[in-house]
Amino acid sequence: MSGSQTPAPPPPEECPTGLQSFAVQLRRMTGEFNRIVQEFAQAHGLHHTDMLALIAILDGGGPDTPMTPGRLRKQLNLTSGAMTACLDRLERAGHIRRVRAADDRRVVHLEYEDRAKGLAREYFQPLARSTDSAREHFTVEELRVVIRFLTELNHELALLRGRTD
């Protein structure tokens, strides 16, 4: 240090809020989530694509924007045939049901079966407890910032893929 008592900032790759730190932590979190999801898929005889479809249906947007086969196909970037095969497997296994829209019988909505939601809720309960445990280390304001960051990141990733839904 040349006469100053202030240490030099760490190199960008070592900065705790730098891109490298975010990338490492997001990869680790994604890897852990993927392992848990894969274990659930194997335990229930599901394909990876089936799990992606279930997650998309679960997160689908609620009564104002129900998930449809077309939206799901676009979101997962599948062919019509692959989408139909996936939905057939999920319906046969009792995870989803196809429901015709009341106002337009040509439109099909995809709904997550309550029994299947219960299975998933039970299986993923330890993950929910771990998430709550981690959240307890932060203030509400800090959590709002985390949610804001994750929302923005998801938006940017959707734009990168050319998706705007």
Side-chain angles (χ1 to χ4, degrees), residues 146-160:
V146 170
I147 291 296
R148 201 172 86 229
F149 168 76
L150 292 173
T151 300
E152 279 301 314
L153 181 58
N154 284 323
H155 174 74
E156 290 295 327
L157 292 172
L159 290 174
L160 185 64

Side-chain angles (χ1 to χ4, degrees), residues 33-43 46-48 51:
F33 281 151
N34 285 342
R35 279 186 278 286
I36 293 167
V37 167
Q38 187 58 34
E39 289 169 2
F40 178 84
Q42 288 176 343
L46 300 172
H47 298 262
H48 178 71
M51 289 302 301

